Amino acid sequence: MNDMAINEQTADALQQRGERNGHLVIIGGHEDREHGKEILTRFVELSGGADARIVVITAASQVADQMWEMYDNAFGDLGVSNRTHLELTSRQDANSEETVRLVAQATGIFMTGGDQKRLLALIGGTALDAEMHAALKVRGATIGGTSAGASAMSGHMLAQGRTDLLPEKGSVSLGAGLGFLHRVVVDQHFSERQRLSRLLSVVAQNPYLQGIGIDEDTALIIERGVGIEVLGEGAVTVV
């Protein structure tokens, strides 16, 4: 898979053009936010440490204020003073100059859990979407997503699907994701919610895709054009 393969030539080319390698931090959900915060600590490190400028996007959630409070406290505990809640209630918000300005200044962009369909309905194809791609690919920013935010990372996104004991044709449907990864589909809460059959169904129906299942409190970290890292308590399953 090109996005996950070690490719030093790509990394050198980026550096020669003055571009930095961005990172994706794809989290299976329920990451530790109160104790050691291993995954969030790594996200902050990749975003610039104490000097990081972090924007939290809560568009996937219907309880945005509660979600923001949780991550505001977590990132504050990790020493980040420059943290902003990007609360979006419409596509107009996602196309606003202020939204684009905040994301253009961010070194870390974090998408919370909730419903990935709601997230894409609000930001897919907007100026915010375009600015996030520029942040990752040109400025070398770090983009993180947990649960729904993780599913939205790839170009093909799990929209809905039952969790059955056996794979079943037609049991899963896909939608358009944000496209930070290509030719993969990401599932989260993977082992905890027994989603192997669901991911097998996706890959069987779409053999051009590779499936990635990420357990809770576990992150797959991808450095563009360089390689991957797995962090946390669980596993990452590749189908």
Side-chain angles (χ1 to χ4, degrees), residues 55 57 86 88 93-96 99-100 103 109 122-123 125-133:
V55 168
I57 298 174
L86 193 59
L88 307 171
D93 292 340
N95 280 310
S96 74
T99 292
V100 172
V103 172
I109 303 159
L122 286 171
I123 73 174
T126 65
L128 168 60
D129 184 355
E131 190 58 43
M132 290 173 68
H133 279 265

Side-chain angles (χ1 to χ4, degrees), residues 28-52:
H30 289 311
E31 72 282 358
D32 174 22
R33 310 176 192 107
E34 297 180 357
H35 303 293
K37 305 183 186 69
E38 181 183 16
I39 293 171
L40 294 182
T41 296
R42 185 74 174 120
F43 175 79
V44 170
E45 289 173 351
L46 293 171
S47 300
D51 295 326

Side-chain angles (χ1 to χ4, degrees), residues 163 187-191 193-200:
T163 300
D187 207 351
Q188 15 78 11
H189 303 283
F190 191 66
S191 294
R193 300 187 185 179
Q194 300 180 347
R195 287 179 165 173
L196 177 59
S197 63
R198 183 162 86 167
L199 196 59
L200 286 169

Side-chain angles (χ1 to χ4, degrees), residues 164-188:
D164 298 310
L165 293 177
L166 295 173
E168 180 181 345
K169 182 178 181 181
S171 63
V172 182
S173 62
L174 298 179
L178 292 172
F180 300 122
L181 289 170
H182 298 288
R183 292 198 289 185
V184 303
V185 62
V186 176
D187 207 351
Q188 15 78 11

Side-chain angles (χ1 to χ4, degrees), residues 1 4 26-28 185-187 190-191 199 211-222 228-239:
M1 182 165 37
M4 297 174 62
I26 310 173
I27 308 168
V185 62
V186 176
D187 207 351
F190 191 66
S191 294
L199 196 59
I212 299 176
I214 307 177
D215 293 349
E216 293 178 358
D217 197 21
T218 305
L220 173 64
I221 301 174
I222 302 175
I228 68 171
E229 172 187 356
V230 175
L231 186 68
E233 294 297 316
V236 171
T237 302
V238 179
V239 177

Side-chain angles (χ1 to χ4, degrees), residues 43-143:
F43 175 79
V44 170
E45 289 173 351
L46 293 171
S47 300
D51 295 326
R53 299 183 300 276
I54 292 178
V55 168
V56 178
I57 298 174
T58 57
S61 176
Q62 292 185 326
V63 287
D65 289 340
Q66 296 176 31
M67 197 68 74
W68 161 241
E69 181 179 4
M70 184 164 51
Y71 285 100
D72 184 31
N73 291 334
F75 289 130
D77 289 345
L78 292 172
V80 178
S81 58
N82 192 334
R83 51 194 194 273
T84 303
H85 180 199
L86 193 59
E87 185 175 6
L88 307 171
T89 59
S90 68
R91 291 180 64 83
Q92 183 177 355
D93 292 340
N95 280 310
S96 74
E97 292 184 3
E98 176 65 11
T99 292
V100 172
R101 183 187 67 80
L102 288 171
V103 172
Q105 294 175 349
T107 59
I109 303 159
F110 192 89
M111 297 179 289
T112 70
D115 181 346
Q116 57 261 38
K117 297 189 297 296
R118 175 184 171 87
L119 177 63
L120 262 294
L122 286 171
I123 73 174
T126 65
L128 168 60
D129 184 355
E131 190 58 43
M132 290 173 68
H133 279 265
L136 174 71
K137 299 171 184 176
V138 179
R139 294 195 291 106
T142 298
I143 295 181

